[in-house]
Amino acid sequence: MPLTLILTRHAKSAWDDPTVDDFDRTLNGRGRSDAPKIGEWLAAQGFLPDTVLVSGARRTVETWERMAPTLPKTCTMESAPARFHASAQTILDVLKTRRSPSIMIICHNPGIAEFARRIVNTPPDHPKFSQYPTCATAVIEFDAPAWSAIDWETGALQDFIVPKDL
């Protein structure tokens, strides 16, 4: 059975209050509408996570909270502030410790964009892939017995989408 990774950058966040710490920024109106659209797309395509890992930043938690109603209630969400602005290597290290066959990670640039570029064996022909804009989502499969066996350039990209594609 292949392992599936759903890699989502958080939805568009608000920058309107300079007194709010970066970790505590909320989603703006576009982000609040984009997150459920991506969740609906994932459900329609049958890309369903067992476990969702978020950075703990308010915008990643809120992105998941807006996606969750569109997906099965059987998945669990885990939040860890240590994943805030995680590097590509940190994302890989976290993933290698997991056991669920289908994992969703919701985190931040620049780490998520670098991770996406490095983990797939062939990048998509999509103009936004290398930029990985807000709410961009890649679905990547690995032909591996466990997450601990994956490495750079071992993922087969199944799909990539940004909210403007919907």
Side-chain angles (χ1 to χ4, degrees):
M1 181 165 117
L3 301 173
T4 302
L5 174 64
I6 302 167
L7 190 63
T8 301
R9 184 176 172 200
H10 64 80
K12 187 76 173 162
S13 59
W15 286 92
D16 54 352
D17 186 349
T19 65
V20 173
D21 184 70
D22 186 35
F23 190 81
D24 296 320
R25 284 190 295 118
T26 62
L27 299 183
N28 68 13
R30 188 175 98 199
R32 287 189 298 273
S33 69
D34 284 350
K37 287 178 190 173
I38 293 294
E40 290 167 2
W41 177 81
L42 288 168
Q45 303 304 312
F47 299 135
L48 308 173
D50 298 310
T51 303
V52 179
L53 307 175
V54 302
S55 75
R58 186 162 179 192
R59 60 192 178 272
T60 61
V61 173
E62 191 176 349
T63 297
W64 170 245
E65 288 172 348
R66 293 192 172 269
M67 294 173 121
T70 68
L71 296 166
K73 306 288 185 236
T74 56
C75 61
T76 59
M77 187 270 279
E78 298 175 24
S79 173
R83 295 184 201 122
F84 183 59
H85 289 300
S87 68
Q89 186 62 52
T90 298
I91 295 168
L92 180 63
D93 292 345
V94 166
L95 191 57
K96 284 181 168 240
T97 67
R98 308 314 296 190
R99 298 208 187 282
S100 300
S102 181
I103 295 176
M104 178 179 213
I105 296 178
I106 303 174
C107 58
H108 311 266
N109 259 347
I112 194 170
E114 181 186 348
F115 177 85
R117 284 191 305 270
R118 293 178 65 190
I119 202 68
V120 297
N121 54 21
T122 305
D125 186 24
H126 192 290
K128 297 291 185 181
F129 183 73
S130 63
Q131 182 186 16
Y132 229 87
T134 53
C135 232
T137 299
V139 179
I140 306 163
E141 282 192 359
F142 299 87
D143 185 17
W147 290 108
S148 59
I150 70 163
D151 208 342
W152 302 122
E153 298 181 5
T154 60
L157 187 74
Q158 301 302 299
D159 217 329
F160 176 76
I161 195 161
V162 296
K164 288 185 180 186
D165 294 338
L166 298 173

